Amino acid sequence: MNGLQHKQRRKGMGLMLICLVLIGLGVAVQRDIIVLDRWIPAHYLPWAPLQLEDPPGMVTGWKLSRLNENPAACRAFLEREAPQRVTFLPDRPSNNGCDLINSVRMHSASGVSGEQGVRFNQSFIASCPLAVSWLRFERHGLKSAAQEVMGSEVTQVSHLGSYACRNIYGRENARRSEHATADALDVTGFTLADGRQVRLPRDWTAPEDEDAPGRFLRAVQDAACESFGTVLGPDYNAAHRDHFHLGTRGWRFCR
């Protein structure tokens, strides 16, 4: 065996050794994942699919953000968890930054026995990630905030709409708004099962002066931050004095 052949053989053996090590590590990692899957609840595991019943946690925001990059997984979530709440829409690309891709029309809960959810003053178009975020907010945030502060359930949500092909604040030389791709919903108020109505800006009060409706609205805003990437309310600026802006972009930007 000449020197070149010997060198090539040593190189080949080295590569084989590296491959064996990597395979061993892969088996060990896979074994650890199997153990984790068996002993740790799925909502704590970053690789486990997001479920509607999963309580908010450290990896929830990351799992929600992944749905933006995986339309098939997002659609599968809606088909599995709430097919009666959405109508899937055909993609509508545009050349002006107002694409409607992987979007749905979000409907009120129908009142079917056992179904959880609220009515809307009108249905709205939502990107798939926005629809998922809203459903989780209903289940894990809105419902508990109403019960804990108001002692009643929310039966209807009033909103100003979602999809609008415009820039932020309607400015000519600004970036496109989250509304331009149906990634945000503007909510103005809530109707409770006992008939009471809580509205923005009427019931938004300073923390030191809060009565129950004011505390409820702040609890709603805090809960929304667990399910949406961007949450803007009356304290953010004058443009949001009369509504909550609930959007999917960002990472828990709550003001």
Side-chain angles (χ1 to χ4, degrees):
M1 181 182 297
N2 59 37
L4 179 59
Q5 290 175 324
H6 184 70
K7 185 176 182 180
Q8 289 176 335
R9 183 179 179 183
R10 289 182 59 188
K11 183 177 180 180
M13 292 178 64
L15 290 174
M16 184 180 295
L17 179 61
I18 291 173
C19 289
L20 290 173
V21 171
L22 291 176
I23 291 171
L25 288 174
V27 171
V29 169
Q30 187 176 25
R31 187 186 303 117
D32 288 343
I33 288 175
I34 292 172
V35 171
L36 289 173
D37 285 343
R38 184 179 303 169
W39 297 107
I40 297 180
H43 60 271
Y44 288 117
L45 302 174
W47 55 83
L50 184 67
Q51 308 290 332
L52 183 58
E53 293 297 338
D54 290 349
M58 293 179 61
V59 299
T60 302
W62 183 76
K63 287 186 178 184
L64 286 168
S65 69
R66 285 172 58 192
L67 296 180
N68 286 302
E69 305 163 3
N70 193 339
C74 190
R75 183 183 179 106
F77 178 100
L78 295 180
E79 290 175 335
R80 180 181 68 250
E81 302 285 4
Q84 73 284 355
R85 296 291 303 276
V86 301
T87 299
F88 293 96
L89 302 176
D91 288 346
R92 197 174 79 190
S94 73
N95 57 8
N96 60 1
C98 296
D99 299 342
L100 280 177
I101 305 296
N102 193 31
S103 59
V104 301
R105 180 165 289 279
M106 191 83 191
H107 303 290
S108 301
S110 63
V112 175
S113 178
E115 180 183 359
Q116 298 186 41
V118 301
R119 299 191 305 270
F120 300 115
N121 58 318
Q122 58 183 346
S123 64
F124 59 92
I125 295 175
S127 67
C128 183
L130 177 63
V132 171
S133 293
W134 178 266
L135 290 169
R136 286 188 50 79
F137 167 61
E138 273 190 15
R139 181 66 56 90
H140 299 288
L142 186 58
K143 180 180 179 180
S144 58
Q147 288 286 0
E148 291 172 9
V149 181
M150 304 298 290
S152 184
E153 293 185 355
V154 171
T155 57
Q156 179 167 308
V157 173
S158 298
H159 65 84
L160 298 173
S162 55
Y163 179 67
C165 184
R166 63 173 175 81
N167 297 342
I168 57 172
Y169 305 122
R171 296 171 183 167
E172 183 177 352
N173 297 316
R175 60 180 172 81
R176 284 299 195 193
S177 166
E178 284 185 292
H179 292 289
T181 47
D183 283 316
L185 179 70
D186 289 342
V187 173
T188 59
F190 309 91
T191 300
L192 305 180
D194 59 15
R196 285 178 293 173
Q197 296 187 353
V198 182
R199 294 288 182 265
L200 290 165
R202 183 191 69 192
D203 296 311
W204 186 263
T205 53
E208 61 270 17
D209 299 325
E210 283 179 351
D211 52 12
R215 286 188 287 112
F216 168 63
L217 288 174
R218 291 187 182 274
V220 166
Q221 185 178 31
D222 289 343
C225 293
E226 299 285 346
S227 295
F228 296 94
T230 297
V231 178
L232 307 176
D235 287 343
Y236 182 58
N237 60 18
H240 295 85
R241 65 180 293 273
D242 62 350
H243 68 274
F244 290 133
H245 171 99
L246 308 178
T248 62
R249 299 177 192 170
W251 187 262
R252 292 197 176 182
F253 182 78
C254 302
R255 297 285 295 276

